[in-house]
Amino acid sequence: MSPSRAALVVLYNHKYDRNIPKVEAIYRGRFADIFHLVPFYTGTQPNVIPVYENSQFFQGYIAQGARGFMRPEFAHYLFAADDLVLNPAISAASYREIFKLDAGASFLPRLESLPAAATHWTNYRNAVLFDPFTRYGVEVRNELPPAAQAARLLARHGVANREFSFAQVYGAPGMRALGRYLVDRLRHKGSLRRTRYPLARSYSDLAVVSAACIREFCHYCGVFAATDLFVELAVPTALALAAERIVTEKDLALQGKALWSAAEQSAELERYGKQLGELFRRFPPDCLYIHPVKLSTWSFETP
């Protein structure tokens, strides 16, 4: 019998044990199989898996928790941050239709080449300095595809790595930016304008991974955590290396809503009065997810 069920795997950036009952209340009627990956968890709830990693590299949670949540009956694994709220229409019965997934397809909100935009992004520096095969104390040369092969695997998803400008990596020219650049020139050999290992970029608080590539994906997540690759580079690169096909939001009818600033969060969420039931009753029908919704500040009213 082919896998037919879906697992919801909830990722907690920090040890927010008190959010577990709220997450369960939100999703229990929609997913029969829910797992929580919680840093430094010391409780006894059987579907909560303790993990140990820096939250900047939370792809390591996925790798560490893999043996606790992988099952032969699962066709897909939905990974979502605990402060990301999925559209209430998304369930184990409906996710394939909403995300437009067949058995072999996976999903990321987006999948971008590097550099992804002309503007500065703090973690472009992590991208250009990242060299997994020279990390002290970490033996991963046989754990990742060689760079040329990795580039070909990313290219099948339309991802390429091009040259970065100084401003993209270090920000506006000035003494601080120049100082960082000079220190990097002294410490690191090679160009500071190109990645040493091919990488992709994506919003990484939501991913749906097919059973067809889950083992490879988890393995690459672990390797990238051990080598300190920032999560919004690590998760998309791991999935692009592992998956045959990746669906993104541009392929879907619903679009996610990421609220980057406190002003955006206030403007979008105040109308619900921090009541979970009200949020779900009036959830925007064209919205795939809202992130972040800090559950610790919302009432325990269930949808």
Side-chain angles (χ1 to χ4, degrees):
M1 181 181 293
S2 61
S4 59
R5 292 162 62 180
L8 176 65
V9 183
V10 184
L11 305 162
Y12 294 68
N13 266 350
H14 304 287
K15 190 180 180 182
Y16 293 139
D17 300 50
R18 285 176 292 182
N19 282 352
I20 294 172
K22 294 185 180 182
V23 173
E24 289 273 337
I26 290 169
Y27 293 112
R28 180 54 66 190
R30 294 152 60 184
F31 292 90
D33 303 285
I34 303 174
F35 302 90
H36 306 263
L37 304 183
V38 180
F40 315 118
Y41 179 70
T42 55
T44 59
Q45 192 167 327
N47 65 330
V48 183
I49 302 167
V51 290
Y52 303 86
E53 183 56 79
N54 186 314
S55 64
Q56 294 292 298
F57 316 121
F58 70 68
Q59 69 272 14
Y61 299 176
I62 296 171
Q64 292 179 28
R67 287 194 176 187
F69 62 70
M70 280 200 293
R71 302 280 192 280
E73 62 266 30
F74 295 145
H76 286 93
Y77 299 80
L78 286 80
F79 297 96
D82 68 306
D83 60 351
L84 182 145
V85 176
L86 292 170
N87 187 306
I90 297 172
S91 68
S94 67
Y95 80 93
R96 282 201 188 196
E97 180 181 358
I98 292 172
F99 288 103
K100 298 189 182 304
L101 300 176
D102 57 30
S106 298
F107 167 84
L108 280 173
R110 59 179 182 260
L111 189 61
E112 298 171 327
S113 297
L114 292 184
T119 54
H120 170 65
W121 183 48
T122 301
N123 290 291
Y124 281 151
R125 182 168 176 253
N126 180 233
V128 298
L129 297 180
F130 179 68
D131 187 353
F133 304 134
T134 61
R135 295 289 297 184
Y136 179 75
V138 183
E139 304 282 345
V140 298
R141 188 165 295 277
N142 295 324
E143 309 306 330
L144 290 171
Q149 182 185 352
R152 291 192 294 271
L153 291 171
L154 269 60
R156 64 185 170 166
H157 302 293
V159 173
N161 284 201
R162 301 180 291 270
E163 279 206 351
F164 293 81
S165 69
F166 177 93
Q168 284 172 319
V169 178
Y170 293 99
M175 292 302 296
R176 183 177 181 182
L178 181 59
R180 277 191 164 186
Y181 171 77
L182 292 174
V183 168
D184 288 346
R185 290 291 297 172
L186 287 171
R187 290 181 176 176
H188 303 274
K189 296 179 180 179
S191 173
L192 299 179
R193 293 292 183 91
R194 298 191 69 90
T195 57
R196 291 160 166 76
Y197 191 84
L199 301 171
R201 177 182 163 184
S202 178
Y203 190 72
S204 297
D205 288 272
L206 176 65
V208 185
V209 180
S210 166
C213 65
I214 187 65
R215 291 187 182 277
E216 279 187 287
F217 170 70
C218 290
H219 178 73
Y220 294 146
C221 280
V223 174
F224 289 143
T227 50
D228 293 350
L229 182 63
F230 183 64
V231 66
E232 290 194 349
L233 300 166
V235 167
T237 304
L239 192 58
L241 292 176
E244 288 289 335
R245 189 164 75 88
I246 299 175
V247 176
T248 63
E249 281 186 32
K250 64 181 174 58
D251 304 308
L252 306 184
L254 304 183
Q255 302 295 297
K257 187 169 289 188
L259 309 173
W260 297 111
S261 68
E264 287 177 303
Q265 292 168 33
S266 177
E268 177 64 31
L269 299 176
E270 273 191 1
R271 71 189 76 175
Y272 305 112
K274 299 211 169 180
Q275 300 289 324
L276 286 172
E278 189 67 14
L279 171 64
F280 281 94
R281 279 190 291 273
R282 298 169 53 203
F283 201 94
D286 60 347
C287 186
L288 188 67
Y289 60 84
I290 298 175
H291 179 250
V293 177
K294 299 299 185 182
L295 295 179
S296 59
T297 67
W298 287 62
S299 81
F300 191 65
E301 183 187 355
T302 57

